[in-house]
Structure formats: structure tokens, C-alpha cells
Amino acid sequence: MKFLAKMKEKQMQRKIGGILCGLLCAGVVLVVPSAWADNYFGDDGKTHMLTGANVSLDSGNYDAVYGGYNNTKVSPPEVFKNNVTITGTVATNIVCGAYSFYGNVRENTVTISGNTLGNVVCGGVPVLQTL
């Protein structure tokens, strides 16, 4: 009896998986990372780097992925020459080569291939808050 129950469960999982895959491929289902997913910063995922970050991801769930990142009033507030490369299957809301809340961004790149899901992809975002 257990064998039949397991077999029916497997059949149902395959059927649901096929339906979800069809809806996803048709663009009906939007998959986004969890609201509690971490952000990824710099080379190691934790360090806010101004320059020279080389992020390379091939899997995982992140709210945002940043190569270079500056959210403090540091001199110089320029964030530049950072690279983000995403291959494989990565779910993320935002991918930025660089982000600077108080300064400029330049010469940042983002390369994406594979099954990456994201809402916003940018080479750089200067917010430039002058108060």
C-alpha cells in the first residue's frame, strides 16, 4: 500500500512540476527571491568595495547583487571598474555593477547568461545626494 501511495505522490509532483514549468516558460508565473534573501556585495558577498570587485555567481538567491558599493560619505565617493558576471541559475531582484549613494560610478560591467531572473539590471547607479 505504501508503494502505491508513493507512486501517486511522485506522479502528482511531476504533474505539478510540468504545469509550473509551462506557466513559467509562458511568462505567466514570476519567480522572485525571498523578501529575506541577503544582498551580495563585492568579491566575498559581504565587503562594500569601491573599486576592483570581480563578482562571479552561478547559483543562489539574492535580493540584490552589487560589484562596487558605497553608501557612506567617503572621499573619493567614486565607485569604478567593478565587474559582475552571473551564469547558471541565480534569482535576484537587482543586479548592479556599481552603486554609489554619495558619488559617481564609471566603468562598471554586468554580464548575464543562463537562467537568471531579475527585475533591475544596471552597469552603475549614482544617486548623488547633496545636502
Side-chain angles (χ1 to χ4, degrees):
M1 196 65 173
K2 286 184 179 182
F3 174 76
L4 288 176
K6 284 186 179 186
M7 194 166 140
K8 284 184 180 183
E9 182 181 344
K10 290 275 187 204
Q11 287 175 338
M12 185 59 76
Q13 287 173 345
R14 280 192 211 117
K15 190 178 286 187
I16 290 171
I19 291 169
L20 286 176
C21 182
L23 291 172
L24 181 61
C25 293
V28 177
V29 175
L30 176 63
V31 178
V32 294
S34 165
W36 297 280
D38 289 333
N39 290 336
Y40 193 100
F41 300 99
D43 290 339
D44 62 2
K46 298 176 182 134
T47 305
H48 294 190
M49 298 176 68
L50 295 179
T51 187
N54 286 303
V55 176
S56 189
L57 300 172
D58 67 356
S59 64
N61 293 316
Y62 308 97
D63 185 44
V65 176
Y66 300 102
Y69 188 88
N70 176 35
N71 65 347
T72 60
K73 292 181 181 180
V74 239
S75 183
E78 192 168 63
V79 183
F80 62 99
K81 292 188 179 178
N82 299 286
N83 300 299
V84 176
T85 302
I86 296 180
T87 59
T89 304
V90 175
T92 183
N93 191 34
I94 299 168
V95 180
C96 279
Y99 176 92
S100 180
F101 197 70
Y102 293 101
N104 297 323
V105 296
R106 65 179 171 87
E107 301 176 54
N108 300 286
T109 61
V110 174
T111 305
I112 297 177
S113 62
N115 296 323
T116 296
L117 300 170
N119 292 324
V120 177
V121 178
C122 57
V125 178
V127 179
L128 196 54
Q129 296 290 320
T130 308
L131 301 174

